[in-house]
Each structure stands twice: as C-alpha cells, then as structure tokens.
Amino acid sequence: MDDSNGERTVTRRALLRASAGTVALSGIGSAHATGGTRDAAGVSQFDDDCPEGTLEPSMTDCEGATMEGCADDHPATTALRSSVTDALETRYPDVDALLDAGYKPYFDTLEMGDDSWSHWLNPAFIGDDELLDPTRPESVLVDNQSWRSLGVMFIATDEGEPVEPPAVYGADDDEQRCSPWHAHTGLPGRFAWWFYRQTYEQSSTDDLLEFPCRTPCMLHVWRVDHPESVYAHDAPPDEYRDLPPADDPTFDTDAVPGEDALDWTALPETIVPDRLPADLSPTAPFGLEFGR
C-alpha cells in the first residue's frame, strides 16, 4: 500500500503473505538459479566467478580457522562465554532491549517453527572496527518462542567490509589454537547477508549491491548450554533453551512472548524492513526467483 507521500509501507497482511510464500534462511527451496550447473559431486554452482557458491546451504572455514584446540572448559572460552552472558543479561536480554540498542531483524525472522531462532544485526557494530567484543556483538541470536537472547554471532568486518578474523586463543603455529570462524557460501546465507546490506545500507532498490561469493567470517558463542560446543553453528535443541518468556514488550504488538512466535508479523511496521525479499529478488543476480 502507499502512504500519503506515495511511499510504500508494509502491512501485517503483506508480511503474512511473505512469511507463507518466501522461504526462510534455513532452506530456500523455491529459489533457483537460471543457467546453473552441477559439479561431479552434484553440487550446484552459480557461475565461474564463485566456484564455491551452491544453491544448497553450505559453509567453509575461514583462512586459518580451526576447532582443533577449542574446548568449552579452556580459560579463554569460559572467560569469553562469561562476558557474553553478562552482556546479554544486562544489555541485550530480549527483543525489546535489542530494538532499543539499534538491532535489526535479519532475513530469518521470517522463519517459523517450534524451535525457530533468529539473528538480529546491529549496523553500527558491523560498521565499526571492534572484533570479539561481547559488549558490541554484531549479531544477537534470539529464541523465537521466549523472545530472549541465546547467544551472539561475531562478524569479522571493519567499516562493514570483511577482514581476516582473530583467533579466540592460540598462535598460528599452536596446536591448541582455537579459531572457529566460518563463512557461508550457499545461497541461503549469501542471500541473507546481501538482503541485510541491501535493506539497511542502500537507500534505493534501484542501486543493487553486488551479490557476494561468500559472507564475512562469523563465529557463534552460546550463553546457554549446547550439546556440541559453545561455538557450535546450529542453535541448541529446544530442550536446552530453558528460558522464561520475555516481559511484555514496550513496542506496539498484539503478540505475547512465550505464546506467539517472534517474526516480522509480531513487530510494529516501523521496525520491519520496508522491502521484502520478494521485492528485491526478481532483479537479483543469477536470475534468482522466489515464489510467493
């Protein structure tokens, strides 16, 4: 719909349609790339410029990345997790606090489900040169049922551009070095990062940013227990998220934490992006199409 200035606004009805028809970050099954090929292993390739790019979700280790020396009980890990937990409990405990701090809902806030979770990104923190700072996490990971913070995702950027990330601990030649950084090379992760930048860094959909071959390097740290690792990529199973529902938010919404799933339809229209994935994808590179 259009407002009095002729600018497009997003209604909850439009968001519901988008949620139902646009496939979320965890698997964009209705997307396809025209002219794509498959390698000998059956992995979809976009084009010669991005040989790592796949249609399916995929990741790659960043330069020098290793989990070999990572241990949940290592002093550096326990110190980092403790600092992350303190920051989440005091600064960023829930969606209300995230919005006050300038965080934005990422593309996967469209995703629904009993164990769904979402990334919330802070353009100011992505745009600075701080790395591995628990008080300024580039992204906070949120449980969509309780609306509470589960962990953080550090993103290795300097003024918004990808940089080589530091190790959590250990020197380059140290066998006990811990540097669990990864980058996404599959379409879901690449599109989500491109959609974030296009939505929050570009003033017009007419000026499309270049579609990346990979995302910047990223690193998860969970404040709740995780059966795999403090640094695991996937969220902990639902039974590990023993968090009480967040308090009723101060922003305008009919949704209730703990009763209604957190998604764009639960957020006020002034907060959600004014451009949906389907608004941008018809003009995206590689002939991407997203069904409604």
Side-chain angles (χ1 to χ4, degrees):
M1 62 179 294
D2 291 346
D3 61 18
S4 58
N5 296 320
E7 297 178 349
R8 182 178 179 278
T9 59
V10 178
T11 65
R12 285 197 174 92
R13 179 175 299 176
L15 287 173
L16 284 169
R17 288 200 303 268
S19 297
T22 305
V23 185
L25 178 63
S26 61
I28 306 182
S30 61
H32 65 276
T34 58
T37 61
R38 288 182 177 268
D39 61 18
V43 178
S44 301
Q45 303 293 322
F46 287 141
D47 61 358
D48 293 338
D49 294 331
C50 297
E52 294 179 301
T54 64
L55 287 174
E56 300 81 5
S58 60
M59 298 185 298
T60 187
D61 289 338
C62 293
E63 184 71 24
T66 178
M67 282 282 291
E68 291 298 320
C70 296
D72 286 359
D73 60 355
H74 189 282
T77 295
T78 57
L80 179 60
R81 186 187 183 194
S82 176
S83 296
V84 165
T85 299
D86 181 67
L88 293 182
E89 290 180 345
T90 60
R91 297 173 182 245
Y92 317 113
D94 52 31
V95 171
D96 221 10
L98 293 178
L99 291 173
D100 287 343
Y103 282 86
K104 309 294 184 182
Y106 200 31
F107 178 34
D108 59 351
T109 315
L110 283 170
E111 188 176 7
M112 298 181 182
D114 292 341
D115 61 349
S116 63
W117 55 290
S118 55
H119 300 65
W120 287 68
L121 274 63
N122 192 312
F125 298 165
I126 291 173
D128 65 21
D129 59 357
E130 298 292 330
L131 297 177
L132 285 177
D133 183 349
T135 67
R136 298 173 65 85
E138 289 81 6
S139 175
V140 173
L141 312 172
V142 176
D143 175 58
N144 288 352
Q145 300 306 309
S146 66
W147 299 30
R148 287 196 179 275
S149 301
L150 295 169
V152 302
M153 182 177 75
F154 295 112
I155 304 175
T157 55
D158 186 345
E159 297 184 355
E161 295 301 319
V163 296
E164 184 176 342
V168 177
Y169 56 84
D172 290 347
D173 57 353
D174 188 349
E175 292 183 358
Q176 300 303 312
R177 183 169 179 267
C178 176
S179 185
W181 294 87
H182 67 276
H184 291 268
T185 53
L187 172 61
R190 292 168 61 191
F191 179 82
W193 178 251
W194 178 84
F195 177 75
Y196 156 76
R197 295 196 65 210
Q198 187 66 43
T199 299
Y200 296 113
E201 295 181 14
Q202 289 292 98
S203 59
S204 171
T205 56
D206 295 333
D207 300 322
L208 290 178
L209 292 169
E210 182 179 357
F211 200 81
C213 286
R214 60 162 63 186
T215 67
C217 295
M218 302 174 176
L219 184 158
H220 290 179
V221 176
W222 301 101
R223 79 173 179 93
V224 298
D225 290 338
H226 198 298
E228 297 178 15
S229 168
V230 169
Y231 305 111
H233 174 262
D234 292 328
D238 189 52
E239 58 268 24
Y240 284 81
R241 308 182 207 175
D242 187 19
L243 299 172
D247 295 336
D248 289 341
T250 59
F251 56 83
D252 180 28
T253 182
D254 295 328
V256 178
E259 298 180 11
D260 301 304
L262 174 66
D263 58 34
W264 281 355
T265 65
L267 299 173
E269 293 178 1
T270 56
I271 293 173
V272 299
D274 61 358
R275 290 168 288 184
L276 299 176
D279 295 330
L280 298 177
S281 60
T283 53
F286 314 118
L288 297 179
E289 297 178 4
F290 290 78
R292 288 189 177 272

